[in-house]
Amino acid sequence: QVQLVESGGGSVQAGGSLRLSCAASGYTSSSYRMGWFRQAPGKEREGVATIYTGGGRTYYADSVKGRFTISQDNAKNTLYLQMNSLKPEDSAMYYCAAGGYGSGGTYGMDYWGKGTLVTISS
């Protein structure tokens, strides 16, 4: 079992920055990949960024590439998402997730946090 708790959300104006954090606890050594997802009202959940915990390989959605950076601090069992040059369309509930190598879960993720809200005003 892995527990994930997001923090760092808030309200900022377009062009601003936020850094989201995801504190992981429990059997964290089982995580092969971790990622950030977001969901806006009336829209489907979408992947934002993923990091593979072993080699540090990362993947970004085209919409955030060059603006967002995913990283992890293994010693602190914490995942981060640095978000720069924020746009109103980035407004959403952001979720942290983790999955094992052979995960059969949606998006390859088994565990999800409850989310942190990000609101970007124009």
Side-chain angles (χ1 to χ4, degrees), residues 104-119:
T106 305
Y107 307 114
M109 302 295 181
D110 302 309
Y111 304 98
W112 297 82
K114 294 183 178 180
T116 185
L117 185 63
V118 172
T119 303

Side-chain angles (χ1 to χ4, degrees), residues 2-122:
V2 176
Q3 294 80 45
L4 304 171
V5 180
E6 305 95 334
S7 63
S11 299
V12 298
Q13 294 186 4
S17 298
L18 282 173
R19 188 176 77 158
L20 306 183
S21 298
C22 173
S25 60
Y27 194 53
T28 58
S29 62
S30 66
S31 297
Y32 172 68
R33 63 181 70 80
M34 297 188 72
W36 289 95
F37 297 78
R38 66 188 183 187
Q39 186 168 21
K43 295 185 177 181
E44 296 294 320
R45 180 174 54 186
E46 62 177 342
V48 175
T50 300
I51 186 167
Y52 292 84
T53 59
R57 183 163 51 90
T58 58
Y59 173 82
Y60 296 92
D62 289 340
S63 60
V64 307
K65 197 172 298 181
R67 298 189 297 121
F68 291 9
T69 303
I70 187 171
S71 62
Q72 61 184 345
D73 186 332
N74 292 328
K76 297 181 178 180
N77 290 318
T78 302
L79 181 73
Y80 302 98
L81 184 68
Q82 178 66 48
M83 306 187 295
N84 298 324
S85 301
L86 286 162
K87 305 174 181 179
E89 50 263 45
D90 294 319
S91 297
M93 184 72 74
Y94 282 71
Y95 299 91
C96 174
Y101 180 77
S103 175
T106 305
Y107 307 114
M109 302 295 181
D110 302 309
Y111 304 98
W112 297 82
K114 294 183 178 180
T116 185
L117 185 63
V118 172
T119 303
I120 312 301
S121 60
S122 60

